[in-house]
Amino acid sequence: MKIKTLQDLENVRKAGIKKLFPDKPRIAVGLATCGIAAGGQDVYEALETALKKKGVNAFLTKTGCFGICNEEPLVNIAMPGKPLVILHKVQKEDAESIAEKVAKGKLPEEKALCKIEEWDHITSEKPFFYGKGYENIPLWNEIPYFKPQKKVVLRDAGIINPEDIEEYIAVGGYSAVYKALTKMTPDEVVEEVKKSGLRGRGGAGFPTGLKWEFTKKEKSDVKYVICNADEGDPGAYMNRNEMESDPHMVIEGMIIGAYAIGASEGFIYVRAEYPLAIERLKLAIKQAKEYGLLGEHIFGTEFSFDIRIATGAGAFVCGEETALIASIEGKPGRPRPRPPFPAQKGLWEKPTNINNVETWCNIAPIIKKGGEWFSRIGIERNTGTKVFSLVGKVNKVGLVEVPLGTTINEIVCHIGGCGIKSKEIKAVQTGGPSGGCIPRNLFDTPIDYDHLKEVGSIMGSGGLVVMDEDTCMVDTAKYFLSFTVDESCGKCVPCREGLKRMYDILEKITDGRGTEEDLGILDELAHTIKATSLCGLGQTAPNPVITTIKYFKDEYMEHIKNKVCPARVCRALIDYFIVPDKCKGCTICAKNCPVGAIDGGPGLIHIIDQSKCIACGTCMDVCPFDAVVKLSGEKIDTPDKPIPVKKGR
Amino acid sequence: MKKTVRIKINGKTYEAEEGESILSVCNRENIDIPNLCFNEALAPYGACRLCMVEVVNGPGKKGMTTSCTLEAVEGLEVVTDTEQIVKYRNVLFELYLAQAPNSEEIKEMAAKYGVTKTRFAKKAKPLDPLGNKCVLCGQCVRVCDEIMGTAAINYIGRGFHTKINTPYLEKNDACMGCGACAEVCPTGAIQMEDIYDKRIMKSWSGTEVKLKKCKSCGRYFAPEPIAEFAYAKLDPEIKEELKDLCPDCRRKLLSRKEILISQGEVSKNED
Ligand SMILES: Cc1cc2nc3c(=O)[nH]c(=O)nc-3n(C[C@H](O)[C@H](O)[C@H](O)COP(=O)(O)O)c2cc1C
Ligand code: FES
């Protein structure tokens, strides 16, 4: 059916509500990529079989990711009139017992992570009330992981079915489009976005309203909007999740943006490595067209707009806006100098407004609740929330949405629950290969565009990689450099030649061949590349090196002066030894050593021949007695040749 | 007619056409700015990064930027030789010296700005297809595409491993052998040679282009595709007469005609 009027929208909304609140139990399995990777699809199928077998009258469906990826697969169950309960670490073997309990109107409470009594989808007229009950299950926002979070972008993720437009409409979806198209002029829309203070979530934080205004002002018969879904930072997957869990919110944002600037066509540029996101976006576009929300005369107005999907082949630099545009045009993805900015000359030389996925996701709430409402979230000049992907050496990994201005400490320690195996956290890396490493003593830094810049990092797209005492900061810098060296398009000399030279120096240092002079050259190169590169890739690629030298110079000096890697990561600087008192002569290490560097025999104390050892660490991994130690710059006494293990041990 | 605007370079006022690149203005006014990827005939590219200037005043963004992509607007004020520009530029020269150690042109250019050594390992074997003389300024690629419309060569690979050559490093029929690439190359990296009836584009995977034989003297004088390319643009009548003649024979023919005309033996309108 085509939605033309408010009444039409209301009718679909009612149909959607029936799916969200059916008069029978609703069981939804988290099937974003994270859930599927943890076995969610198997759980879904097992539940389907079990429910059928036992003849349980329940509504089984899929949903996106609720953000706590550690606990996947997640399954949420809502009994009519009762709270929505989120079950975690559900295995396919649990399906039968879940089906049995549900048949009796009960829940597997032992599997419950938390419950939701009331949920604010932001875009709906009022919050949804599920019900009260289950005293033993904590409320979702009482558990430490969610307590400091505020879900604006992830308002529907993990609750609605991302493949059903009716459920999206049920939670107020597309009502912001209705409002914009029928009650607001394009200027008013731009004004509202400006008032919200929203800044681009793609990395640089440019004010979105202002960018829209630039594109709006350009005179042209054709204009375009683009959604940048190229998300290439290692460790970042917010955008993927946003598209997989709630694709319609991206589309809704783009429709409103297109109306504001006067565009008739839009493109979503998604990397081909995101097949599920592409599939769900395609489906969402198809549904939106069927319902008349894309295409000619949306809501019976003069405004027509359509969206196409373009897939990228995985080059990081294609996330840069001018390279992205070249790529859509079918040209090699190489950036070009700006100005002219895309707002002046973009896709096929026409004025083009390009925003990140998450930027678009914020538009519907801004139009629905007003820019003023949005500007009250977060802090001054940094309004709204930001979704971060918290990964690395931290207890709880997942997608975290917090108001801008939340401190690093709050995110890493309170939400993430600090280091794994109570290891000491050393730093956090923000902004991917363009960002920097922020040391522990600066963890009270609020995460927002301005404060991160002050400490030498950037917000980037929202990756937060936690590092602990086992992370070598020189090695980390080298890792990011190897990434940017690989991903440099090769057009301009500082990025193409300079980054490679920086990488070579870092390799020299981690190999124990570095000198103090090298540090100086590194610094000189870093600043030259930052200042003279053509695009943002080169302009930011030295950041990981600059910040690690700034905050962890002692680690560099240890590598250079003492040939020691304090975190015992750099292979050339570490040695493995077998502790004679602990070795039981089991021969496992000798059998597994790939280069035959271990001498020994049954009942003999084994010895590693340091001249043959390649420091691969296999012996340490396989030793059942923890007898192998890894050292840097130190030695332990070992016998000259294998001698019998002392009896009685 | 384009509007004329007044801009300041190093404190002195100059007139420029609105939208003209600052590097063009500097070239015209003999203000020295090193550059490798700029060519008046091609669209600005901004890749060599040597032409940095600092914008100190004007309607746009201040700070360092490339002068080849900076457009003249009323009130723009730039300086060309700040301490910072020199410092960064010198590092870039060092990178060039390491990248193209066999290019005399690069050595000369760097030396002119006081850079005679590089701290970085010079590219050695294996030689790139252009003999470690190429700096990837892209002028050859762009002239082949933008001016000749041929696009016989392009970039291969990316990042540090980028090369310029024919697709798959194979001989390319699309090449017309015009040699515009070698003409614009600022580092002397592109080699070609005419051997009897062929032009060999040595740098472009040994691509061979047939040469045209002069119907009068029998000399091989120009690549066949280029001759055809030119004939296609000529007036059909003139074309027939001059077709397949080498430049010398063409000149001879024309001057002989002139003489005959002046002697009244042939009337001017006869043909
Ligand atoms: C090397 C490089 C990679 C980038 N990758 C992305 C990306 O994956 N996603 C993105 O939204 N922006 C990326 N950007 C930023 C875009 O150029 C652009 O600023 C952004 O899409 C604008 O959207 P926003 O204003 O909503 O942030 C990248 C920039 C650079 C220099
Ligand atoms: S001439 Fe300006 S960047 Fe090369």
mmCIF file with all atom_site columns, all heavy atoms in Angstrom, chain A residues 580-598:
data_model
loop_
_atom_site.group_PDB
_atom_site.id
_atom_site.type_symbol
_atom_site.label_atom_id
_atom_site.label_alt_id
_atom_site.label_comp_id
_atom_site.label_asym_id
_atom_site.label_entity_id
_atom_site.label_seq_id
_atom_site.pdbx_PDB_ins_code
_atom_site.Cartn_x
_atom_site.Cartn_y
_atom_site.Cartn_z
_atom_site.occupancy
_atom_site.B_iso_or_equiv
_atom_site.pdbx_formal_charge
_atom_site.auth_seq_id
_atom_site.auth_comp_id
_atom_site.auth_asym_id
_atom_site.auth_atom_id
_atom_site.pdbx_PDB_model_num
ATOM 1   N N   . PRO A 1 580 ? 64.129 -24.345 34.645 1.00 0.00 ? 580 PRO A N   1
ATOM 2   C CA  . PRO A 1 580 ? 64.530 -25.718 34.966 1.00 0.00 ? 580 PRO A CA  1
ATOM 3   C C   . PRO A 1 580 ? 63.702 -26.329 36.096 1.00 0.00 ? 580 PRO A C   1
ATOM 4   O O   . PRO A 1 580 ? 63.317 -27.498 36.015 1.00 0.00 ? 580 PRO A O   1
ATOM 5   C CB  . PRO A 1 580 ? 65.996 -25.573 35.394 1.00 0.00 ? 580 PRO A CB  1
ATOM 6   C CG  . PRO A 1 580 ? 66.452 -24.295 34.790 1.00 0.00 ? 580 PRO A CG  1
ATOM 7   C CD  . PRO A 1 580 ? 65.264 -23.401 34.734 1.00 0.00 ? 580 PRO A CD  1
ATOM 8   N N   . ASP A 1 581 ? 63.383 -25.534 37.106 1.00 0.00 ? 581 ASP A N   1
ATOM 9   C CA  . ASP A 1 581 ? 62.640 -26.076 38.248 1.00 0.00 ? 581 ASP A CA  1
ATOM 10  C C   . ASP A 1 581 ? 61.216 -26.479 37.898 1.00 0.00 ? 581 ASP A C   1
ATOM 11  O O   . ASP A 1 581 ? 60.569 -27.225 38.608 1.00 0.00 ? 581 ASP A O   1
ATOM 12  C CB  . ASP A 1 581 ? 62.557 -25.028 39.373 1.00 0.00 ? 581 ASP A CB  1
ATOM 13  C CG  . ASP A 1 581 ? 63.907 -24.869 40.048 1.00 0.00 ? 581 ASP A CG  1
ATOM 14  O OD1 . ASP A 1 581 ? 64.787 -25.709 39.763 1.00 0.00 ? 581 ASP A OD1 1
ATOM 15  O OD2 . ASP A 1 581 ? 64.074 -23.905 40.805 1.00 0.00 ? 581 ASP A OD2 1
ATOM 16  N N   . LYS A 1 582 ? 60.705 -25.925 36.816 1.00 0.00 ? 582 LYS A N   1
ATOM 17  C CA  . LYS A 1 582 ? 59.309 -26.215 36.488 1.00 0.00 ? 582 LYS A CA  1
ATOM 18  C C   . LYS A 1 582 ? 59.167 -27.289 35.411 1.00 0.00 ? 582 LYS A C   1
ATOM 19  O O   . LYS A 1 582 ? 58.113 -27.882 35.255 1.00 0.00 ? 582 LYS A O   1
ATOM 20  C CB  . LYS A 1 582 ? 58.615 -24.941 36.010 1.00 0.00 ? 582 LYS A CB  1
ATOM 21  C CG  . LYS A 1 582 ? 58.272 -23.963 37.124 1.00 0.00 ? 582 LYS A CG  1
ATOM 22  C CD  . LYS A 1 582 ? 57.335 -22.915 36.575 1.00 0.00 ? 582 LYS A CD  1
ATOM 23  C CE  . LYS A 1 582 ? 56.819 -21.970 37.639 1.00 0.00 ? 582 LYS A CE  1
ATOM 24  N NZ  . LYS A 1 582 ? 56.076 -20.871 37.010 1.00 0.00 ? 582 LYS A NZ  1
ATOM 25  N N   . CYS A 1 583 ? 60.236 -27.481 34.624 1.00 0.00 ? 583 CYS A N   1
ATOM 26  C CA  . CYS A 1 583 ? 60.161 -28.437 33.513 1.00 0.00 ? 583 CYS A CA  1
ATOM 27  C C   . CYS A 1 583 ? 60.044 -29.861 34.058 1.00 0.00 ? 583 CYS A C   1
ATOM 28  O O   . CYS A 1 583 ? 60.751 -30.258 34.962 1.00 0.00 ? 583 CYS A O   1
ATOM 29  C CB  . CYS A 1 583 ? 61.397 -28.302 32.631 1.00 0.00 ? 583 CYS A CB  1
ATOM 30  S SG  . CYS A 1 583 ? 61.403 -29.471 31.255 1.00 0.00 ? 583 CYS A SG  1
ATOM 31  N N   . LYS A 1 584 ? 59.101 -30.642 33.471 1.00 0.00 ? 584 LYS A N   1
ATOM 32  C CA  . LYS A 1 584 ? 58.902 -32.009 33.938 1.00 0.00 ? 584 LYS A CA  1
ATOM 33  C C   . LYS A 1 584 ? 59.417 -33.009 32.922 1.00 0.00 ? 584 LYS A C   1
ATOM 34  O O   . LYS A 1 584 ? 59.184 -34.207 33.024 1.00 0.00 ? 584 LYS A O   1
ATOM 35  C CB  . LYS A 1 584 ? 57.414 -32.250 34.198 1.00 0.00 ? 584 LYS A CB  1
ATOM 36  C CG  . LYS A 1 584 ? 56.865 -31.327 35.271 1.00 0.00 ? 584 LYS A CG  1
ATOM 37  C CD  . LYS A 1 584 ? 56.042 -32.078 36.273 1.00 0.00 ? 584 LYS A CD  1
ATOM 38  C CE  . LYS A 1 584 ? 56.077 -31.394 37.602 1.00 0.00 ? 584 LYS A CE  1
ATOM 39  N NZ  . LYS A 1 584 ? 55.137 -30.566 38.062 1.00 0.00 ? 584 LYS A NZ  1
ATOM 40  N N   . GLY A 1 585 ? 60.034 -32.500 31.858 1.00 0.00 ? 585 GLY A N   1
ATOM 41  C CA  . GLY A 1 585 ? 60.597 -33.401 30.859 1.00 0.00 ? 585 GLY A CA  1
ATOM 42  C C   . GLY A 1 585 ? 59.553 -34.134 30.045 1.00 0.00 ? 585 GLY A C   1
ATOM 43  O O   . GLY A 1 585 ? 59.747 -35.282 29.658 1.00 0.00 ? 585 GLY A O   1
ATOM 44  N N   . CYS A 1 586 ? 58.425 -33.461 29.763 1.00 0.00 ? 586 CYS A N   1
ATOM 45  C CA  . CYS A 1 586 ? 57.337 -34.148 29.048 1.00 0.00 ? 586 CYS A CA  1
ATOM 46  C C   . CYS A 1 586 ? 57.554 -34.201 27.535 1.00 0.00 ? 586 CYS A C   1
ATOM 47  O O   . CYS A 1 586 ? 56.829 -34.888 26.832 1.00 0.00 ? 586 CYS A O   1
ATOM 48  C CB  . CYS A 1 586 ? 55.997 -33.504 29.361 1.00 0.00 ? 586 CYS A CB  1
ATOM 49  S SG  . CYS A 1 586 ? 55.756 -31.913 28.554 1.00 0.00 ? 586 CYS A SG  1
ATOM 50  N N   . THR A 1 587 ? 58.494 -33.399 27.010 1.00 0.00 ? 587 THR A N   1
ATOM 51  C CA  . THR A 1 587 ? 58.887 -33.345 25.586 1.00 0.00 ? 587 THR A CA  1
ATOM 52  C C   . THR A 1 587 ? 57.876 -32.666 24.650 1.00 0.00 ? 587 THR A C   1
ATOM 53  O O   . THR A 1 587 ? 58.115 -32.562 23.454 1.00 0.00 ? 587 THR A O   1
ATOM 54  C CB  . THR A 1 587 ? 59.191 -34.741 24.974 1.00 0.00 ? 587 THR A CB  1
ATOM 55  O OG1 . THR A 1 587 ? 57.960 -35.442 24.753 1.00 0.00 ? 587 THR A OG1 1
ATOM 56  C CG2 . THR A 1 587 ? 60.124 -35.567 25.831 1.00 0.00 ? 587 THR A CG2 1
ATOM 57  N N   . ILE A 1 588 ? 56.755 -32.199 25.206 1.00 0.00 ? 588 ILE A N   1
ATOM 58  C CA  . ILE A 1 588 ? 55.742 -31.592 24.322 1.00 0.00 ? 588 ILE A CA  1
ATOM 59  C C   . ILE A 1 588 ? 56.298 -30.376 23.579 1.00 0.00 ? 588 ILE A C   1
ATOM 60  O O   . ILE A 1 588 ? 56.091 -30.210 22.379 1.00 0.00 ? 588 ILE A O   1
ATOM 61  C CB  . ILE A 1 588 ? 54.473 -31.216 25.128 1.00 0.00 ? 588 ILE A CB  1
ATOM 62  C CG1 . ILE A 1 588 ? 53.751 -32.492 25.545 1.00 0.00 ? 588 ILE A CG1 1
ATOM 63  C CG2 . ILE A 1 588 ? 53.544 -30.329 24.302 1.00 0.00 ? 588 ILE A CG2 1
ATOM 64  C CD1 . ILE A 1 588 ? 52.507 -32.269 26.368 1.00 0.00 ? 588 ILE A CD1 1
ATOM 65  N N   . CYS A 1 589 ? 57.057 -29.540 24.313 1.00 0.00 ? 589 CYS A N   1
ATOM 66  C CA  . CYS A 1 589 ? 57.570 -28.328 23.659 1.00 0.00 ? 589 CYS A CA  1
ATOM 67  C C   . CYS A 1 589 ? 58.500 -28.695 22.519 1.00 0.00 ? 589 CYS A C   1
ATOM 68  O O   . CYS A 1 589 ? 58.414 -28.141 21.424 1.00 0.00 ? 589 CYS A O   1
ATOM 69  C CB  . CYS A 1 589 ? 58.257 -27.410 24.671 1.00 0.00 ? 589 CYS A CB  1
ATOM 70  S SG  . CYS A 1 589 ? 59.643 -28.176 25.540 1.00 0.00 ? 589 CYS A SG  1
ATOM 71  N N   . ALA A 1 590 ? 59.395 -29.649 22.768 1.00 0.00 ? 590 ALA A N   1
ATOM 72  C CA  . ALA A 1 590 ? 60.371 -30.023 21.746 1.00 0.00 ? 590 ALA A CA  1
ATOM 73  C C   . ALA A 1 590 ? 59.673 -30.572 20.508 1.00 0.00 ? 590 ALA A C   1
ATOM 74  O O   . ALA A 1 590 ? 60.051 -30.277 19.379 1.00 0.00 ? 590 ALA A O   1
ATOM 75  C CB  . ALA A 1 590 ? 61.342 -31.046 22.305 1.00 0.00 ? 590 ALA A CB  1
ATOM 76  N N   . LYS A 1 591 ? 58.594 -31.326 20.744 1.00 0.00 ? 591 LYS A N   1
ATOM 77  C CA  . LYS A 1 591 ? 57.870 -31.895 19.608 1.00 0.00 ? 591 LYS A CA  1
ATOM 78  C C   . LYS A 1 591 ? 57.174 -30.822 18.774 1.00 0.00 ? 591 LYS A C   1
ATOM 79  O O   . LYS A 1 591 ? 56.988 -30.983 17.579 1.00 0.00 ? 591 LYS A O   1
ATOM 80  C CB  . LYS A 1 591 ? 56.814 -32.888 20.116 1.00 0.00 ? 591 LYS A CB  1
ATOM 81  C CG  . LYS A 1 591 ? 57.410 -34.244 20.441 1.00 0.00 ? 591 LYS A CG  1
ATOM 82  C CD  . LYS A 1 591 ? 56.284 -35.225 20.743 1.00 0.00 ? 591 LYS A CD  1
ATOM 83  C CE  . LYS A 1 591 ? 56.859 -36.481 21.363 1.00 0.00 ? 591 LYS A CE  1
ATOM 84  N NZ  . LYS A 1 591 ? 56.112 -36.868 22.575 1.00 0.00 ? 591 LYS A NZ  1
ATOM 85  N N   . ASN A 1 592 ? 56.759 -29.752 19.446 1.00 0.00 ? 592 ASN A N   1
ATOM 86  C CA  . ASN A 1 592 ? 55.990 -28.737 18.742 1.00 0.00 ? 592 ASN A CA  1
ATOM 87  C C   . ASN A 1 592 ? 56.831 -27.604 18.170 1.00 0.00 ? 592 ASN A C   1
ATOM 88  O O   . ASN A 1 592 ? 56.337 -26.802 17.387 1.00 0.00 ? 592 ASN A O   1
ATOM 89  C CB  . ASN A 1 592 ? 54.910 -28.158 19.650 1.00 0.00 ? 592 ASN A CB  1
ATOM 90  C CG  . ASN A 1 592 ? 53.722 -29.109 19.758 1.00 0.00 ? 592 ASN A CG  1
ATOM 91  O OD1 . ASN A 1 592 ? 52.915 -29.227 18.844 1.00 0.00 ? 592 ASN A OD1 1
ATOM 92  N ND2 . ASN A 1 592 ? 53.658 -29.843 20.867 1.00 0.00 ? 592 ASN A ND2 1
ATOM 93  N N   . CYS A 1 593 ? 58.083 -27.519 18.606 1.00 0.00 ? 593 CYS A N   1
ATOM 94  C CA  . CYS A 1 593 ? 58.912 -26.399 18.124 1.00 0.00 ? 593 CYS A CA  1
ATOM 95  C C   . CYS A 1 593 ? 59.103 -26.520 16.609 1.00 0.00 ? 593 CYS A C   1
ATOM 96  O O   . CYS A 1 593 ? 59.581 -27.532 16.111 1.00 0.00 ? 593 CYS A O   1
ATOM 97  C CB  . CYS A 1 593 ? 60.271 -26.410 18.818 1.00 0.00 ? 593 CYS A CB  1
ATOM 98  S SG  . CYS A 1 593 ? 61.359 -25.120 18.170 1.00 0.00 ? 593 CYS A SG  1
ATOM 99  N N   . PRO A 1 594 ? 58.696 -25.460 15.870 1.00 0.00 ? 594 PRO A N   1
ATOM 100 C CA  . PRO A 1 594 ? 58.738 -25.583 14.402 1.00 0.00 ? 594 PRO A CA  1
ATOM 101 C C   . PRO A 1 594 ? 60.153 -25.566 13.829 1.00 0.00 ? 594 PRO A C   1
ATOM 102 O O   . PRO A 1 594 ? 60.357 -25.929 12.673 1.00 0.00 ? 594 PRO A O   1
ATOM 103 C CB  . PRO A 1 594 ? 57.947 -24.370 13.922 1.00 0.00 ? 594 PRO A CB  1
ATOM 104 C CG  . PRO A 1 594 ? 58.041 -23.392 15.024 1.00 0.00 ? 594 PRO A CG  1
ATOM 105 C CD  . PRO A 1 594 ? 58.158 -24.171 16.288 1.00 0.00 ? 594 PRO A CD  1
ATOM 106 N N   . VAL A 1 595 ? 61.130 -25.125 14.621 1.00 0.00 ? 595 VAL A N   1
ATOM 107 C CA  . VAL A 1 595 ? 62.486 -25.045 14.063 1.00 0.00 ? 595 VAL A CA  1
ATOM 108 C C   . VAL A 1 595 ? 63.469 -25.971 14.787 1.00 0.00 ? 595 VAL A C   1
ATOM 109 O O   . VAL A 1 595 ? 64.672 -25.874 14.597 1.00 0.00 ? 595 VAL A O   1
ATOM 110 C CB  . VAL A 1 595 ? 63.024 -23.585 14.102 1.00 0.00 ? 595 VAL A CB  1
ATOM 111 C CG1 . VAL A 1 595 ? 62.252 -22.723 13.113 1.00 0.00 ? 595 VAL A CG1 1
ATOM 112 C CG2 . VAL A 1 595 ? 62.971 -23.008 15.506 1.00 0.00 ? 595 VAL A CG2 1
ATOM 113 N N   . GLY A 1 596 ? 62.945 -26.863 15.618 1.00 0.00 ? 596 GLY A N   1
ATOM 114 C CA  . GLY A 1 596 ? 63.811 -27.820 16.301 1.00 0.00 ? 596 GLY A CA  1
ATOM 115 C C   . GLY A 1 596 ? 64.833 -27.163 17.203 1.00 0.00 ? 596 GLY A C   1
ATOM 116 O O   . GLY A 1 596 ? 65.985 -27.609 17.279 1.00 0.00 ? 596 GLY A O   1
ATOM 117 N N   . ALA A 1 597 ? 64.407 -26.089 17.889 1.00 0.00 ? 597 ALA A N   1
ATOM 118 C CA  . ALA A 1 597 ? 65.372 -25.346 18.709 1.00 0.00 ? 597 ALA A CA  1
ATOM 119 C C   . ALA A 1 597 ? 65.434 -25.872 20.137 1.00 0.00 ? 597 ALA A C   1
ATOM 120 O O   . ALA A 1 597 ? 66.201 -25.361 20.945 1.00 0.00 ? 597 ALA A O   1
ATOM 121 C CB  . ALA A 1 597 ? 65.015 -23.858 18.702 1.00 0.00 ? 597 ALA A CB  1
ATOM 122 N N   . ILE A 1 598 ? 64.597 -26.866 20.482 1.00 0.00 ? 598 ILE A N   1
ATOM 123 C CA  . ILE A 1 598 ? 64.559 -27.314 21.876 1.00 0.00 ? 598 ILE A CA  1
ATOM 124 C C   . ILE A 1 598 ? 65.222 -28.691 22.024 1.00 0.00 ? 598 ILE A C   1
ATOM 125 O O   . ILE A 1 598 ? 64.876 -29.642 21.337 1.00 0.00 ? 598 ILE A O   1
ATOM 126 C CB  . ILE A 1 598 ? 63.099 -27.342 22.396 1.00 0.00 ? 598 ILE A CB  1
ATOM 127 C CG1 . ILE A 1 598 ? 62.487 -25.929 22.257 1.00 0.00 ? 598 ILE A CG1 1
ATOM 128 C CG2 . ILE A 1 598 ? 63.058 -27.818 23.848 1.00 0.00 ? 598 ILE A CG2 1
ATOM 129 C CD1 . ILE A 1 598 ? 61.057 -25.812 22.720 1.00 0.00 ? 598 ILE A CD1 1
#
